[in-house]
Amino acid sequence: MDKVDSQAGKNVIDSLGGLSEDIGKYIIEFAFGDIYERDILDFKQREMITITSLLTQGDTAPQLRVHINGSLNVGLSREQIIETFIQAIPYVGFPKVLNAVTIAKEVFKARDDK
Amino acid sequence: MDKVDSQAGKNVIDSLGGLSEDIGKYIIEFAFGDIYERDILDFKQREMITITSLLTQGDTAPQLRVHINGSLNVGLSREQIIETFIQAIPYVGFPKVLNAVTIAKEVFKARDDK
Amino acid sequence: MDKVDSQAGKNVIDSLGGLSEDIGKYIIEFAFGDIYERDILDFKQREMITITSLLTQGDTAPQLRVHINGSLNVGLSREQIIETFIQAIPYVGFPKVLNAVTIAKEVFKARDDK
Amino acid sequence: MDKVDSQAGKNVIDSLGGLSEDIGKYIIEFAFGDIYERDILDFKQREMITITSLLTQGDTAPQLRVHINGSLNVGLSREQIIETFIQAIPYVGFPKVLNAVTIAKEVFKARDDK
Amino acid sequence: MDKVDSQAGKNVIDSLGGLSEDIGKYIIEFAFGDIYERDILDFKQREMITITSLLTQGDTAPQLRVHINGSLNVGLSREQIIETFIQAIPYVGFPKVLNAVTIAKEVFKARDDK
Amino acid sequence: MDKVDSQAGKNVIDSLGGLSEDIGKYIIEFAFGDIYERDILDFKQREMITITSLLTQGDTAPQLRVHINGSLNVGLSREQIIETFIQAIPYVGFPKVLNAVTIAKEVFKARDDK
């Protein structure tokens, strides 16, 4: 597992706060181990798919925060992330896209403030 | 509008069967005109985002059919399409991914049978 | 209960096929009895809300069929029904609206063919 | 665009915080320009459809806030807004309706406190 | 109505803050009266179904809080509640499960702090 | 893996039709291996959770068919399955419950016809 993705994974698992170590284990082994490590698509494409899926299902603010950071970590630009959200407008409508842009703004600002 | 996308757009609009020409006009002008013609992402990335969003929201079999064809038309491989669906498993679970794979199978078979 | 709504309710209950009479009873008593019989909104407004909610949640083809018929029965025009779906485009995107239009076309055709 | 709707639109666009002026432009041009300006339904009906769609999809608190205000601005009464939510109960269940009522309470109180 | 369920019901109704007493009445009469009082399934099974449905639809944090408390009140253990969420992973993916676990942690902590 | 669950798993995997053996492998290993084999909940409880989650998310007819059969195979009665769906009414509304009941009817009839 690449150290950038590993960080994204750790952030999610830390949010579990030790309540269920098994869920954290499944995320590490299945989501980041089995799935992210596959061929055919690179990390940029995988993160683009992930943030699209999170945006589309809604009620995923904490996960979008992790994976917008993850998207930047694997090399997607801020413009590409926002453009990914814009591409979703005809398929999901404006509200979910606006919610995702709001979270992206917070993530971008937090990185600028560091 | 590229002729490949134009075909995908026409398929959707034909399915409206003349009932509401305005919806067809909005799809042509807004979805395929304003959004697809933007910079920053290429057509392959845009179709990858589109099929991810359709898979995630569910109940989109006709649109997935159009855009799996569209994905192939703009140059995504069958392996990349299936891999896009696999990447979504940790975020949406198996049922929606299985539904999308079922439609992809139909699309691939229809193209082989031509 | 107005005879038009009663017909819409019977259609749904018939689809239960006697498997669970209790669900049918709850639909009659709660949905059509308690809710539809309330003041403040008229039947046209209530059906407009209902078809919007069904369109938005997706995977509701049988219920949309019942309530597009119900909408016509209580006095909404075909143009108002399609316009209701068009108003939803910015909030849900095109796929769900196209699905609802497809069902409306079937309902309109079935009534023309009678 | 009516000045009341214009205000509702501006609220949404301000929330974009300058990050993506294009999304704001699409909302102004497509959602408020193309769609709201159409015939057949009036602004009260359009807002009733909008808040029903937002309630039904969930995770739309900021947009519901804008459009509950918009609903009042175009002439829907508080009772009609709450009654719209009640009409949705049989189709979406209680949780989403309770969430929408909670936001309506906040909006009503904010207007009373002015 | 069992006093434990009555408490869960009261919590929801109090959150309505008197705005719409009718919604509270429907929750008491229909959800807790008609449905919870039926035979065939016991309260533990009913709460397990309820928290699964709330987790799956998303954007139900306040209702999950009420029904995780309700689950404990009718005798489900903390381990059974977390295990219910884990069983949902293959069907809904990790994000919704992580959201539900986060709320469960808050509920468990609030009960420990009393 | 119990032979009853194994059959349910095989049905899903067969539906993949050899297109992506990896998805089938993940279902076997992760969904049926890792998750179903855990302690704390028994197979009846796990199937009850599964059909509730499938009903709630919608657009899962093929998976509901597999898991209504699976529910019967591990010992849930037809009455308990229908009652599970009824318990979901206050949380998801009638349409999704009616869809699930329709599929249950088909499954029950197919078993009676054998």
Side-chain angles (χ1 to χ4, degrees):
Chain A
M1 199 195 301
D2 180 86
K3 72 178 190 285
V4 180
D5 282 285
S6 162
Q7 185 56 39
K10 277 204 196 101
N11 287 348
V12 176
I13 287 148
D14 285 354
S15 78
L16 289 172
L19 186 80
S20 171
E21 293 174 2
D22 286 353
I23 301 180
K25 195 188 67 175
Y26 293 138
I27 293 174
I28 292 284
E29 287 180 3
F30 181 63
F32 286 99
D34 287 351
I35 304 292
Y36 268 84
E37 295 296 327
R38 292 171 59 89
D39 287 336
I40 299 177
L41 299 179
D42 61 28
F43 281 173
K44 288 188 198 181
Q45 291 169 311
R46 290 187 183 279
E47 284 294 341
M48 192 174 274
I49 293 161
T50 298
I51 61 176
T52 302
S53 184
L54 293 172
L55 172 156
T56 303
Q57 69 182 283
D59 195 32
T60 55
Q63 292 81 27
L64 261 179
R65 210 164 281 126
V66 168
H67 284 284
I68 290 169
N69 268 307
S71 296
L72 294 166
N73 292 347
V74 299
L76 287 175
S77 70
R78 294 181 181 195
E79 289 68 27
Q80 288 175 313
I81 291 169
I82 298 296
E83 195 66 29
T84 299
F85 298 162
I86 290 175
Q87 173 62 21
I89 295 173
Y91 306 101
V92 303
F94 289 103
K96 293 186 172 191
V97 172
L98 291 173
N99 289 347
V101 170
T102 299
I103 294 164
K105 274 176 50 187
E106 295 169 11
V107 170
F108 297 167
K109 185 166 186 316
R111 291 171 81 105
D112 287 340
D113 289 352
K114 270 195 223 168
Chain B
M1 198 194 303
D2 180 86
K3 73 175 192 286
V4 180
D5 282 287
S6 164
Q7 186 55 41
K10 275 202 198 105
N11 288 348
V12 176
I13 287 147
D14 286 353
S15 78
L16 289 172
L19 186 80
S20 172
E21 294 174 1
D22 287 353
I23 301 181
K25 194 189 68 175
Y26 294 138
I27 292 173
I28 293 284
E29 287 180 4
F30 181 63
F32 286 98
D34 287 352
I35 304 291
Y36 268 83
E37 295 297 327
R38 293 171 59 89
D39 287 336
I40 298 175
L41 299 181
D42 62 29
F43 280 172
K44 287 189 201 181
Q45 290 169 312
R46 290 187 184 278
E47 285 295 342
M48 193 174 275
I49 292 161
T50 298
I51 60 175
T52 301
S53 185
L54 292 172
L55 172 155
T56 303
Q57 69 183 282
D59 194 33
T60 55
Q63 293 80 27
L64 261 179
R65 211 163 280 125
V66 169
H67 284 284
I68 290 169
N69 268 306
S71 297
L72 294 166
N73 292 346
V74 300
L76 287 176
S77 70
R78 293 181 182 197
E79 288 69 25
Q80 287 175 313
I81 291 168
I82 298 296
E83 194 66 29
T84 299
F85 298 161
I86 290 175
Q87 173 63 19
I89 295 173
Y91 305 102
V92 303
F94 289 103
K96 293 186 171 191
V97 172
L98 291 174
N99 288 347
V101 170
T102 299
I103 294 164
K105 275 176 47 187
E106 294 169 12
V107 171
F108 296 167
K109 185 167 185 317
R111 292 170 81 105
D112 287 340
D113 289 351
K114 270 198 223 165
Chain C
M1 197 195 305
D2 179 85
K3 73 176 191 285
V4 181
D5 283 285
S6 163
Q7 185 56 40
K10 277 205 196 99
N11 288 348
V12 176
I13 287 149
D14 286 353
S15 78
L16 289 172
L19 186 79
S20 171
E21 293 174 1
D22 287 353
I23 301 180
K25 195 188 67 174
Y26 294 138
I27 293 173
I28 293 284
E29 288 181 3
F30 181 64
F32 287 98
D34 287 351
I35 305 290
Y36 269 82
E37 295 297 327
R38 292 171 58 91
D39 287 336
I40 299 176
L41 300 179
D42 61 28
F43 280 172
K44 288 189 201 181
Q45 290 169 312
R46 291 188 183 279
E47 284 294 342
M48 191 174 276
I49 293 161
T50 298
I51 60 176
T52 302
S53 185
L54 292 173
L55 172 154
T56 302
Q57 68 182 284
D59 194 33
T60 56
Q63 292 81 27
L64 261 179
R65 212 164 280 126
V66 168
H67 284 284
I68 291 169
N69 268 306
S71 296
L72 295 166
N73 292 347
V74 299
L76 287 175
S77 69
R78 294 182 182 196
E79 289 69 26
Q80 287 175 313
I81 291 168
I82 298 296
E83 195 65 29
T84 299
F85 298 162
I86 290 174
Q87 172 63 19
I89 295 173
Y91 305 102
V92 303
F94 289 103
K96 293 185 172 193
V97 172
L98 291 173
N99 289 348
V101 170
T102 300
I103 293 164
K105 274 176 49 187
E106 295 169 11
V107 170
F108 296 167
K109 185 166 186 315
R111 292 170 80 105
D112 287 340
D113 289 350
K114 271 200 220 163
Chain D
M1 197 194 304
D2 180 86
K3 73 177 192 285
V4 180
D5 283 285
S6 163
Q7 185 56 41
K10 277 204 195 103
N11 288 348
V12 176
I13 287 148
D14 286 353
S15 78
L16 289 171
L19 185 80
S20 170
E21 293 174 1
D22 287 353
I23 301 180
K25 194 189 68 175
Y26 294 138
I27 293 173
I28 292 284
E29 286 180 4
F30 181 65
F32 286 98
D34 287 351
I35 304 291
Y36 267 83
E37 295 296 327
R38 293 171 59 89
D39 287 336
I40 299 176
L41 299 180
D42 61 28
F43 280 173
K44 286 189 201 181
Q45 290 168 313
R46 290 188 184 278
E47 285 295 342
M48 192 174 275
I49 292 161
T50 298
I51 60 176
T52 301
S53 185
L54 293 172
L55 172 155
T56 303
Q57 68 183 283
D59 194 33
T60 56
Q63 293 80 27
L64 262 179
R65 212 163 280 126
V66 168
H67 284 284
I68 290 169
N69 268 306
S71 296
L72 294 166
N73 292 346
V74 299
L76 287 176
S77 70
R78 294 182 183 196
E79 288 69 26
Q80 287 175 314
I81 291 168
I82 298 295
E83 195 65 30
T84 299
F85 298 162
I86 290 175
Q87 172 63 20
I89 295 173
Y91 306 102
V92 303
F94 289 103
K96 293 185 171 190
V97 173
L98 291 174
N99 289 346
V101 170
T102 299
I103 294 164
K105 274 175 49 186
E106 294 170 11
V107 170
F108 297 167
K109 185 165 185 315
R111 292 169 81 104
D112 287 340
D113 289 351
K114 271 197 218 160
Chain E
M1 199 193 302
D2 180 85
K3 74 177 191 285
V4 180
D5 282 285
S6 163
Q7 185 56 39
K10 278 204 195 103
N11 288 347
V12 176
I13 288 148
D14 286 353
S15 78
L16 289 171
L19 186 79
S20 171
E21 292 175 2
D22 287 354
I23 302 180
K25 194 189 69 175
Y26 293 138
I27 293 173
I28 293 285
E29 287 180 4
F30 181 63
F32 287 98
D34 286 353
I35 303 292
Y36 268 83
E37 294 297 327
R38 292 171 59 90
D39 286 337
I40 298 177
L41 299 180
D42 61 29
F43 280 174
K44 287 188 200 180
Q45 290 169 313
R46 291 187 183 278
E47 285 294 342
M48 192 175 275
I49 292 162
T50 298
I51 59 175
T52 301
S53 185
L54 293 173
L55 172 156
T56 302
Q57 70 182 281
D59 194 34
T60 55
Q63 292 80 26
L64 261 179
R65 210 164 281 124
V66 168
H67 284 284
I68 290 169
N69 268 306
S71 296
L72 293 166
N73 292 346
V74 299
L76 287 176
S77 70
R78 294 182 180 195
E79 289 68 26
Q80 287 175 313
I81 291 169
I82 298 296
E83 195 66 28
T84 299
F85 298 163
I86 290 175
Q87 172 63 20
I89 294 174
Y91 306 102
V92 302
F94 289 103
K96 293 184 172 193
V97 173
L98 291 174
N99 289 347
V101 170
T102 299
I103 294 164
K105 275 176 49 187
E106 294 169 12
V107 171
F108 296 166
K109 184 166 186 319
R111 291 170 81 105
D112 286 340
D113 289 351
K114 271 197 219 163
Chain F
M1 200 194 302
D2 179 86
K3 75 176 190 284
V4 181
D5 282 286
S6 163
Q7 185 55 40
K10 277 203 196 104
N11 287 348
V12 175
I13 287 149
D14 286 353
S15 78
L16 289 172
L19 186 80
S20 171
E21 292 174 3
D22 287 353
I23 302 180
K25 194 188 68 173
Y26 294 138
I27 293 173
I28 293 284
E29 287 180 3
F30 181 63
F32 287 98
D34 287 352
I35 304 292
Y36 268 82
E37 295 297 328
R38 293 171 58 90
D39 286 336
I40 298 176
L41 299 180
D42 61 29
F43 280 173
K44 288 188 199 180
Q45 290 169 312
R46 290 187 183 278
E47 285 295 340
M48 192 174 275
I49 292 161
T50 298
I51 60 176
T52 302
S53 185
L54 292 172
L55 172 155
T56 302
Q57 69 183 282
D59 194 33
T60 55
Q63 292 80 26
L64 261 179
R65 211 163 280 126
V66 168
H67 284 284
I68 291 169
N69 268 307
S71 296
L72 294 166
N73 292 347
V74 300
L76 287 175
S77 70
R78 294 181 182 196
E79 289 69 28
Q80 287 175 313
I81 291 168
I82 298 295
E83 195 65 29
T84 299
F85 298 162
I86 291 175
Q87 172 63 19
I89 295 174
Y91 306 102
V92 303
F94 288 103
K96 293 186 172 192
V97 172
L98 291 173
N99 289 347
V101 170
T102 299
I103 294 164
K105 274 176 49 186
E106 294 169 12
V107 171
F108 297 167
K109 186 167 185 316
R111 292 170 79 105
D112 286 341
D113 289 352
K114 271 197 220 166

